[in-house]
Amino acid sequence: MDTKSAKANENEVVYGIGELLGMARERAVPVVRAIPEEALAAPTPCAEYDVKTLVNHVFQVVVQFQRLAAKEASDFTETPDRVGAGADWRERLADEIDKLVAAWSVPGAEEGVTGAMSMPARLVGSMALLDLTVHVWDLARATGREYRLGEVAAPVVEQLAGAVDELAPTARKMGVFGDPVPVAEGASAFERLLARTGRDPHWKG
């Protein structure tokens, strides 16, 4: 490695998962708060989910990944209907997202391993980041809202690109990711990320 490359690596900023989740939160919460009741039955880019079931899935992910940050056992066997539990579901979900950011911001949260498969904790945190980013994009597309990460959140896309590389083979076997979708030559890094998870970046309901 030459001196210039070494200095570039020394100056490279490594963001914590909590910081990255905080960036994703700033884009997720406005989308969640803007979901109208009449859109809950609308289709989403995830063919198996309508808006309501996807919101409930995001709720479950956000709650269970708080437990994984604390190296506690998680339970994804059932997805409670938190949307149906009260009209304040948007604020309840926003509160849980805040708790997720806090949980992964605790010193040591991304060290070691966590979860039933004893995966590296930082990769598990990246899975939470992926859901909070990509599924919120799904919700934005389903409800006709814009979702732009922008340059400020470029580290989120960078972290997720590496995580998707690592997760994709298993995720495709399990049906979590679809086959990659072709994108135009000038596609953004985020559009390419979406396409690698099997999503059409230009999906319309």
Side-chain angles (χ1 to χ4, degrees):
M1 180 182 295
D2 62 32
T3 305
K4 181 182 280 189
S5 297
K7 286 183 178 178
N9 287 342
E10 286 173 9
N11 295 331
E12 184 178 345
V13 177
V14 178
Y15 290 88
I17 294 297
E19 291 178 280
L20 296 169
L21 284 166
M23 295 176 193
R25 178 208 176 280
E26 293 305 307
R27 286 142 186 87
V29 170
V31 171
V32 167
R33 285 179 171 151
I35 297 173
E37 291 294 320
E38 58 269 24
L40 291 175
T44 74
C46 294
E48 68 271 30
Y49 293 124
D50 61 17
V51 169
K52 180 181 177 181
T53 53
L54 185 54
V55 171
N56 278 325
H57 173 72
V58 172
F59 243 123
Q60 180 71 339
V61 165
V62 167
V63 169
Q64 296 304 320
F65 274 85
Q66 293 170 33
R67 300 172 64 88
L68 290 168
K71 310 295 194 292
E72 296 175 358
S74 60
D75 183 2
F76 290 93
T77 56
E78 294 184 5
T79 302
D81 182 9
R82 292 182 170 93
V83 172
D88 63 339
W89 59 266
R90 297 169 189 80
E91 291 310 313
R92 283 186 283 118
L93 179 50
D95 288 345
E96 294 296 345
I97 293 172
D98 284 346
K99 292 177 186 176
L100 179 71
V101 175
W104 283 95
S105 298
V106 172
E110 58 186 88
E111 297 174 5
V113 299
T114 189
M117 297 174 66
S118 295
M119 295 173 66
R122 185 172 172 88
L123 181 60
V124 172
S126 296
M127 293 166 65
L129 180 65
L130 183 65
D131 273 19
L132 190 61
T133 303
V134 172
H135 279 324
V136 171
W137 176 86
D138 291 332
L139 291 170
R141 296 298 295 184
T143 56
R145 290 188 59 84
E146 289 291 324
Y147 182 90
R148 297 186 185 278
L149 279 173
E151 286 301 313
V152 173
V156 172
V157 178
E158 186 176 343
Q159 176 67 28
L160 291 180
V164 167
D165 283 344
E166 196 163 348
L167 295 168
T170 301
R172 289 201 178 98
K173 285 180 184 176
M174 296 175 65
V176 177
F177 290 175
D179 291 330
V181 174
V183 293
E185 187 174 333
S188 69
F190 185 50
E191 288 173 335
R192 292 180 185 280
L193 175 72
L194 292 168
R196 286 165 59 207
T197 69
R199 288 165 168 80
D200 175 3
H202 304 291
W203 182 94
K204 291 183 180 179

